[in-house]
């Protein structure tokens, strides 16, 4: 059942923001005049984990969650449900569903963006191309994993790759569910190899490498365009037909939109399932990171750069449940006590939290997480501190590229892990000047950002300044970061 919470009754027009995450589908109702969060609901999405690295969800589970969260909002809003005047949609990008183009009926499960079964196909495509091709085409290094997954899917079920079907992700599915139209965002398209980041348009060049054509995917969203809620869905949801539906946005794009206005040049840090930095820059072919996603302009000219990190809450959940308590809520409480005692790890203790990467020493193995500097006095609290510090040092490394180039003047932190005060304090210790802000609606900012096309002022999530720790503690964190950098460089852990 969806979890819900009511904040206050909406008094005027209402906007609905939807966030289709990797493990949770969320929806919020916002008062379109005051911006107040009027009601919210969330429904967990079961993920099927396969022994060969597969990660799948059923579209039936997505639809059940969608109906559940909307029903929960309708119940909490009561008569104000009739005042809903627009819907915004954001979703995790890079996942794959083959669906019937006419009806939208799914013909496969949704293979998630972090499914590992197409690595062999990625290597095969890489052998037939050059790094320069991808740097010119996608403004990043390497074969987009979604393109490799398309080749893998076609090998498994070639009969599904026909004119009657379409390849979509979570965002396209949700947008079609609401409007009856197929549309995708650049963040999703670049992960499947359909988007030319330099030209800011769909391009058939990468698809041709695996013998596919662009009509397999939906057309690209143009700016912040909207489409009307279709009659059938309006009737089912008990909403006015024809109200505007905005999107779909990739979740990181919507997260950045939730930070627009906090400062003139915010860098939004999403501490979710994957940790990601998002910021705007002038048009450039530079690689701020080999893994970057360079998308079109969000609020004006230039590019939105999405920098996925080599860490995320998979590493944090592992540290909590393995080192402190198998029950995650209990582990979180114990972690609070660990960090009340001390914020930084002991000198020389380093944890590299690359749990979702291939092993650099043994490429056939999975997992590159490492500890360095353990001694007989090291306890589990020290190990947890080292993991948290390593995650923040990965984030800080990406942020400094944006800050040093004048592309960002403020760090805005959101996402589930930002609720853990240790992460915000560690970030603040590394960035002086009071430039770290924490979003109050940590788990709901993406849903708020999804309504940007309908009401830009409402899309901005409220944020508070994170107080910087004292000088001695800051020095300890800086020393720990220096140790971390030395270990990464010494063992080429990049």
């Amino acid at each position: 059942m969806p979890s819900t919470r009511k904040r206050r009754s909406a008094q005027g027009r209402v906007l609905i923001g939807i966030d289709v995450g990797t493990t949770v589908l969320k929806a919020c109702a916002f008062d379109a005049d005051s911006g107040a969060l009027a009601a919210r609901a969330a429904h967990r999405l079961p993920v099927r984990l396969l022994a060969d690295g597969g990660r799948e969800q059923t579209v039936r589970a997505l639809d059940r969650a969608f109906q559940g969260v909307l029903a929960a909002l309708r119940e909490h809003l009561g008569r104000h449900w009739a005042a809903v005047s627009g819907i915004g949609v954001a979703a995790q990008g890079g996942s794959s569903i083959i669906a019937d183009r006419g009806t939208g009926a799914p013909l496969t499960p949704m293979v998630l963006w972090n499914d590992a079964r197409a690595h062999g196909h990625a290597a095969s495509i890489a052998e037939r191309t050059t790094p320069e091709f991808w740097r010119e085409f996608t403004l990043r290094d390497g074969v987009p994993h979604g393109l490799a997954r398309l080749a893998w899917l076609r090998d498994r079920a070639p009969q599904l790759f026909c004119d009657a079907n379409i390849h979509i992700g979570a965002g396209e599915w949700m947008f079609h569910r609401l409007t009856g139209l197929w549309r995708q965002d650049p963040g999703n398209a670049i992960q499947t190899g359909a988007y030319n980041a330099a030209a800011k348009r769909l391009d058939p060049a990468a698809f041709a490498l695996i013998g596919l054509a662009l009509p397999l995917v939906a057309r690209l969203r143009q700016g912040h365009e909207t489409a009307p809620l279709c009659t059938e869905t309006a009737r089912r949801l008990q909403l006015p037909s024809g109200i505007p539906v905005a999107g779909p946005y990739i979740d990181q794009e919507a997260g950045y939109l939730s930070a627009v206005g906090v400062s003139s040049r915010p860098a939004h840090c999403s501490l979710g399932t994957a940790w990601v930095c998002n910021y705007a820059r002038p048009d450039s072919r530079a690689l701020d990171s080999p893994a970057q996603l360079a998308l079109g302009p969000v609020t004006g000219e230039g590019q939105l750069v999405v920098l996925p990190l080599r860490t995320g809450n998979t590493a944090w959940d592992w540290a909590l449940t393995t080192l402190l308590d198998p029950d995650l809520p209990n582990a979180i409480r114990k972690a609070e006590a660990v960090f009340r005692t001390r914020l930084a790890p002991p000198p020389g203790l380093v944890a590299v939290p690359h749990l979702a990467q291939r092993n650099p020493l043994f490429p056939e193995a999975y997992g590159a997480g490492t500890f360095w500097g353990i001694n007989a006095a090291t306890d589990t609290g020290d190990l947890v501190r080292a993991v948290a510090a390593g995650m923040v040092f990965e984030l800080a490394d990406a942020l400094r590229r944006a800050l040093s180039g004048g592309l960002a003047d403020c760090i805005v932190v959101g996402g589930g892990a930002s609720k853990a005060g240790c992460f915000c304090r560690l970030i603040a210790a590394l960035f002086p000047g009071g430039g770290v802000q924490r979003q109050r609606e940590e788990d709901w900012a993406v849903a708020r950002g999804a309504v940007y096309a309908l009401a830009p002022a409402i899309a901005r999530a409220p944020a508070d300044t994170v107080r910087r720790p004292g000088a001695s503690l800051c020095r300890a964190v800086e020393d720990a970061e220096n140790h971390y950098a030395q270990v990464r460089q010494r063992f080429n852990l990049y």
Side-chain angles (χ1 to χ4, degrees):
M1 294 296 290
S3 61
T4 62
R5 184 174 177 181
K6 185 175 180 179
R7 289 294 184 89
R8 51 164 289 183
S9 297
Q11 300 300 313
R13 296 178 303 117
V14 174
L15 299 176
I16 302 295
I18 299 173
D19 171 14
V20 187
T22 304
T23 56
V24 182
L25 192 152
K26 306 166 189 172
C28 297
F30 304 102
D31 186 303
D33 298 316
S34 69
L37 176 56
R40 64 193 191 187
H43 198 299
R44 291 204 66 81
L45 298 171
V47 177
R48 185 182 178 213
L49 303 177
L50 304 176
D52 58 357
R55 283 167 171 76
E56 296 179 350
Q57 288 173 345
T58 67
V59 178
R60 178 177 296 180
L62 278 177
D63 195 51
R64 190 162 49 243
F66 165 69
Q67 294 185 64
V69 295
L70 269 293
L73 291 187
R74 183 170 65 241
E75 179 182 352
H76 278 283
L77 291 175
R79 62 186 178 85
H80 294 297
W81 184 251
V84 171
S85 60
I87 300 171
V89 176
Q92 49 93 359
S95 297
S96 293
I97 306 166
I98 304 297
D100 184 284
R101 186 181 298 272
T103 66
L107 304 174
T108 66
M110 183 163 74
V111 183
L112 292 176
W113 59 270
N114 53 357
D115 187 287
R117 290 174 289 180
H119 280 300
H121 288 75
S124 175
I125 296 169
E127 289 174 357
R128 304 197 304 272
T129 56
T130 65
E132 289 72 26
F133 171 83
W134 297 110
R135 289 171 188 164
E136 287 293 317
F137 188 82
T138 61
L139 304 184
R140 59 174 290 164
D141 275 356
V143 178
H145 196 69
L147 183 71
R149 189 183 311 114
L150 279 170
W152 173 79
L153 282 168
R154 190 183 56 178
D155 283 355
R156 287 169 57 102
Q159 73 280 6
L160 295 179
F161 287 75
C162 61
D163 293 343
N165 298 336
I166 188 170
H167 172 268
I168 59 172
E172 294 108 303
W173 172 81
M174 177 61 75
F175 192 81
H176 184 269
R177 185 80 163 74
L178 292 167
T179 68
L181 303 175
W182 293 118
R183 183 184 296 170
Q184 68 173 320
D185 62 86
N188 181 71
I190 198 171
Q191 294 181 73
T192 58
Y195 184 69
N196 184 320
K200 302 178 184 177
R201 60 174 172 80
L202 296 182
D203 188 311
F207 268 32
L209 296 171
I210 60 172
L212 297 178
L214 274 184
L216 179 67
V217 299
R219 80 168 182 86
L220 200 64
R221 191 195 80 226
Q222 300 300 309
H224 296 290
E225 66 177 327
T226 64
L229 182 67
C230 68
T231 302
E232 180 182 349
T233 302
R235 178 185 54 79
R236 188 182 303 116
L237 298 179
Q238 302 174 39
L239 288 173
S241 178
I243 62 174
V245 180
Y249 296 101
I250 188 175
D251 51 4
Q252 300 303 329
E253 184 180 6
Y256 176 80
L257 290 170
S258 76
V260 168
V262 172
S263 74
S264 59
R265 299 185 306 279
H268 180 258
C269 300
S270 174
L271 310 188
T273 303
W275 281 26
V276 185
C277 298
N278 313 298
Y279 58 89
R281 72 177 186 185
D283 280 319
S284 172
R285 290 178 175 269
L287 268 70
D288 293 352
S289 164
Q292 72 183 25
L293 305 179
L295 312 182
V298 177
T299 59
E301 298 299 320
Q303 301 167 328
L304 175 68
V305 176
V306 175
L307 291 186
L309 306 184
R310 290 181 175 270
T311 191
N313 287 346
T314 299
W316 185 231
D317 289 350
W318 171 85
L320 291 174
T321 56
T322 303
L323 300 172
L324 295 181
D325 196 305
D327 181 76
L328 185 58
N330 285 341
I332 290 171
R333 286 191 289 271
K334 291 179 180 179
E336 292 172 355
V338 165
F339 287 100
R340 278 197 300 269
T341 304
R342 187 169 66 250
L343 183 63
L349 178 60
V350 170
V352 179
H354 296 176
L355 272 64
Q357 282 74 46
R358 292 284 170 178
N359 189 304
L361 295 179
F362 310 105
E364 71 280 3
Y366 184 67
T370 53
F371 284 98
W372 306 86
I374 294 174
N375 60 49
T378 304
D379 60 25
T380 54
D382 292 331
L383 298 177
V384 169
R385 294 184 190 97
V387 171
M391 294 171 71
V392 168
F393 299 153
E394 292 279 332
L395 180 71
D397 183 59
L399 283 171
R400 287 198 178 94
R401 299 171 209 165
L403 293 167
S404 63
L407 302 177
D409 59 6
C410 178
I411 298 166
V412 182
V413 183
S418 66
K419 289 181 290 195
C422 61
F423 289 116
C424 291
R425 292 172 64 208
L426 283 164
I427 296 169
L430 294 173
F431 294 96
V436 180
Q437 300 276 320
R438 175 188 171 193
Q439 292 179 314
R440 295 177 204 162
E441 303 163 356
E442 305 95 340
D443 291 328
W444 313 94
V446 168
R448 186 182 279 278
V451 306
Y452 182 89
L454 309 171
I458 303 304
R460 186 177 72 194
D464 300 307
T465 300
V466 178
R467 184 177 177 182
R468 195 168 190 239
S472 61
L473 204 151
C474 287
R475 283 194 298 272
V477 175
E478 291 164 2
D479 288 343
E481 185 185 25
N482 183 49
H483 294 153
Y484 185 84
Q486 291 181 57
V487 166
R488 271 212 330 185
Q489 183 176 17
R490 172 67 176 80
F491 296 97
N492 197 28
L493 299 172
Y494 292 95

